[in-house]
Amino acid sequence: MPAIVIAVEDYDRLSALLDSADSEDETVESLEEELSRANLVKRAELPPDVVTMNSRVRFRNETTGDEHEMVLVYPNELQGGAGRISVLAPAGAALLGLTVGDVIDWPMQGRKPLQIKILGVTHSHSLAPGP
């Protein structure tokens, strides 16, 4: 798998989150693997088309053609309403570090994965964690 790009600030916070998570959980293991192969850059140096924490991701189901948007959030930020996905959900972990144009298999509980294509990424300062 190709290396992904992650902000150092996200990496630090995710590493701390994973230290307190269930190490037997498959999603936790998967996210740990993603972080281990990540290229780390400062948030200000991230390319604008990379999925980061608190970014809004627009994607298309390649089978149906349906388009959706979700915000990738930390587990404690899920209460913010619909359209949010936790980085500790299998599909959320899969989004982290992807870039516009990437196509991935989106994990589905008890079903065949969906193939999705990343169409757009919006970084919202209002969603970003404070200093």
Side-chain angles (χ1 to χ4, degrees):
M1 297 186 83
I4 59 173
V5 179
I6 297 178
V8 173
E9 299 87 347
D10 290 342
Y11 178 87
D12 291 344
R13 188 168 173 195
L14 288 167
S15 294
L17 177 66
L18 292 176
D19 285 345
S20 64
D22 178 6
S23 62
E24 300 297 316
D25 183 285
E26 285 184 33
T27 304
V28 169
E29 289 178 21
S30 175
L31 189 54
E32 286 173 339
E33 288 175 23
E34 294 288 309
L35 293 179
S36 72
R37 66 185 182 85
N39 291 327
L40 303 180
V41 299
K42 292 182 180 180
R43 184 172 304 278
E45 298 169 1
L46 270 172
D49 62 347
V50 173
V51 177
T52 63
M53 294 305 301
N54 297 304
S55 60
R56 183 172 303 280
V57 184
R58 189 169 52 89
F59 57 90
R60 178 177 56 235
N61 178 329
E62 293 290 82
T63 303
T64 65
D66 293 341
E67 292 187 14
H68 305 277
E69 278 192 0
M70 296 190 128
V71 177
L72 183 62
V73 299
Y74 292 96
N76 65 328
E77 298 170 339
L78 276 174
Q79 329 59 327
R84 291 177 176 241
I85 186 165
S86 169
V87 70
L88 289 186
L95 286 173
L96 186 66
L98 295 179
T99 59
V100 172
D102 285 346
V103 178
I104 63 161
D105 288 333
W106 181 278
M108 297 294 292
Q109 183 77 22
R111 297 187 357 220
K112 180 181 171 186
L114 301 176
Q115 191 171 64
I116 66 161
K117 181 174 185 175
I118 307 300
L119 301 176
V121 177
T122 305
H123 299 274
S124 174
H125 298 293
S126 63
L127 294 172

